[in-house]
Amino acid sequence: MSAKQELRTDEGAAPVGAYSQGLVVGDFVYTSGMGPLSPETGEVVGTDVAEQTHQVMRNLGAILAAHGLGFDDVVKATVHLQHLKRDFAAYNEAYKSYFTRPYPVRTTVGSDLMDILVEIDFVAHRPR
């Protein structure tokens, strides 16, 4: 079993529970599910799913950058939307602006989220 290395940055939203922002395990980086929280205030940023998606992506980008990675290194995303049918198109438009082809594989599901519209986590590959 590989050793785990914690990733932590003040540039991304701080954990609000018993979890790490991210972990490095072998050649992969795993992030926690990130919501649209401001790293400075801990408050929700944005009132619609597009605004919230951009904040989530800024948080995730900061966690990746803390280990020298970027969105091109992401291989898998899991996305939770509070209102799947209503918000999918707007979320997808915001989300895809961070990636180039080939896009990461992705699962998007509807979830009962606490006071947010979107939560996303990543698996990224760490090139050696």
Side-chain angles (χ1 to χ4, degrees):
M1 182 163 213
S2 299
K4 298 183 287 188
Q5 174 191 350
E6 183 178 15
L7 292 180
R8 186 179 195 110
T9 178
D10 292 337
E11 302 299 313
V16 295
Y19 60 89
S20 300
Q21 286 177 324
L23 290 175
V24 177
V25 181
D27 291 344
F28 292 92
V29 171
Y30 300 86
T31 72
S32 287
M34 284 287 125
L37 302 181
S38 164
E40 294 83 18
T41 67
E43 299 294 320
V44 173
V45 174
T47 58
D48 64 41
V49 75
E51 293 171 339
Q52 288 193 13
T53 299
H54 285 296
Q55 182 60 44
V56 169
M57 297 301 277
R58 285 189 291 271
N59 287 336
L60 287 166
I63 294 166
L64 293 172
H67 201 66
L69 299 175
F71 292 108
D72 286 343
D73 299 304
V74 175
V75 295
K76 169 114 176 63
T78 303
V79 181
H80 298 265
L81 294 177
Q82 178 77 315
H83 306 287
L84 183 61
K85 287 182 182 180
R86 181 190 81 185
D87 288 345
F88 183 84
Y91 133 77
N92 192 58
E93 194 64 29
Y95 171 92
K96 77 177 184 180
S97 70
Y98 292 86
F99 296 103
T100 57
R101 291 184 182 271
Y103 298 124
V105 298
R106 179 177 79 185
T107 300
T108 305
V109 298
S111 294
D112 186 14
L113 301 173
M114 291 178 20
D115 302 321
I116 60 174
L117 299 174
V118 59
E119 181 177 315
I120 302 172
D121 69 78
F122 286 155
V123 177
H125 184 255
R126 215 171 45 128
R128 290 196 184 234

